[in-house]
Amino acid sequence: MVRSQQGPRARYREQNRSEIKAMALRQLADGGVAGLALTRIAKEMGLSGPALYRYFASRDDLLNALIRDAYDDAATAVAAATALSADASESPREQVHSLANAYRAWAVAEPHRYLLIQGAPVPGYAAPDDTLERARAVLGPFLTVFADGTPGAGVAPVVEQMTAWLGADAAVGEWVARYAPDAAGDTEASARALAGAVLAWTQLHGSVGLEAAGQFAGMGHRGETLLATQMDMLADAFGLA
């Protein structure tokens, strides 16, 4: 049996942090970011305000933790779909659908968490610097799928812009190499990968974001059907079989 390396005090602290985050998520589900109230969380936990601030120094500190967790969980969901796709020897087109479906499933199951990271910016709040890296982890698996695509004329302008981006930002090339190692050092393949991932993100955000916000209520289509159609169109644009 592997025993925890944390002492009792550290475990108690982590338990309280987890409980605070769980309460904060319930508040987000009920009223969005505007409903997030540390004083109410402290009262429900039987803590004083100063005592709660020993766990999270401010509302923004708590938001940082919730945002990091949301991105990490979304990335885990997409990575799990990647592993299942590999086990099933799915075609590139099937992989696009599997990744998109995993992302959608996570988002619609916990729309308040999706909207926290992809919804309207929180006034006066600046996300932590490591948010970008976590967001890239969510999209990373899409890079692999599109690296071997054959972009058509319709997406050529995006591929061209991604080529320029690679030349201007070395960190972007490192991101592509991490998830699509076969494209490392190959500007054309890296640009294809980036173009596909960016376009997948915009399609996902448009469709999933509207669904998570309840905008499809009363309409005659289903979210999964719309997303499947969009992913097929994207796969066609990149010649994915």
Side-chain angles (χ1 to χ4, degrees):
M1 177 183 296
V2 178
R3 295 186 178 181
S4 171
Q5 298 300 309
Q6 291 184 323
R9 181 174 297 178
R11 288 196 299 271
Y12 177 75
R13 176 179 175 78
E14 193 56 38
Q15 288 169 1
N16 278 347
R17 281 177 59 87
S18 295
E19 187 175 352
I20 291 168
K21 289 192 290 185
M23 288 185 174
L25 288 175
R26 287 197 291 272
Q27 290 184 354
L28 285 174
D30 291 340
V33 175
L36 187 60
L38 271 66
T39 54
R40 184 151 56 92
I41 293 174
K43 183 176 180 180
E44 291 180 12
M45 291 185 66
L47 297 173
S48 66
L52 186 139
Y53 286 115
R54 289 202 296 268
Y55 299 100
F56 293 98
S58 64
R59 184 207 64 160
D60 285 1
D61 188 27
L62 177 54
L63 280 174
N64 289 346
L66 297 178
I67 286 171
R68 289 185 177 111
D69 288 350
Y71 273 120
D72 289 349
D73 287 351
T76 297
V78 176
T82 303
L84 290 174
S85 293
D87 290 343
S89 299
E90 291 185 339
S91 68
R93 179 179 292 264
E94 290 171 331
Q95 291 175 48
V96 169
H97 282 283
S98 294
L99 298 179
N101 289 338
Y103 184 78
R104 174 186 171 273
W106 175 82
V108 299
E110 300 186 279
H112 55 292
R113 299 183 74 202
Y114 171 83
L115 293 172
L116 178 64
I117 60 174
Q118 296 292 350
V122 179
Y125 170 76
D129 292 339
D130 58 8
T131 298
L132 177 59
E133 192 64 27
R134 286 178 155 84
R136 286 179 173 176
V138 179
L139 283 179
F142 287 92
L143 294 167
T144 307
V145 180
F146 287 100
D148 292 327
T150 306
V155 295
V158 180
V159 177
E160 182 179 348
Q161 290 178 358
M162 295 303 99
T163 302
W165 191 18
L166 284 163
D169 190 342
V172 177
E174 294 171 1
W175 173 40
V176 175
R178 188 179 315 134
Y179 289 94
D182 291 344
D186 184 334
T187 300
E188 291 185 3
S190 295
R192 291 195 299 268
L194 278 171
V198 168
L199 286 167
W201 171 65
T202 60
Q203 295 292 328
L204 285 166
H205 182 51
S207 179
V208 174
L210 288 169
E211 184 177 9
Q215 296 299 318
F216 291 165
M219 298 183 70
H221 69 277
R222 299 169 63 181
E224 60 267 36
T225 305
L226 178 61
L227 184 61
T229 301
Q230 291 176 295
M231 291 301 106
D232 271 331
M233 293 170 64
L234 184 57
D236 288 344
F238 280 81
L240 300 183

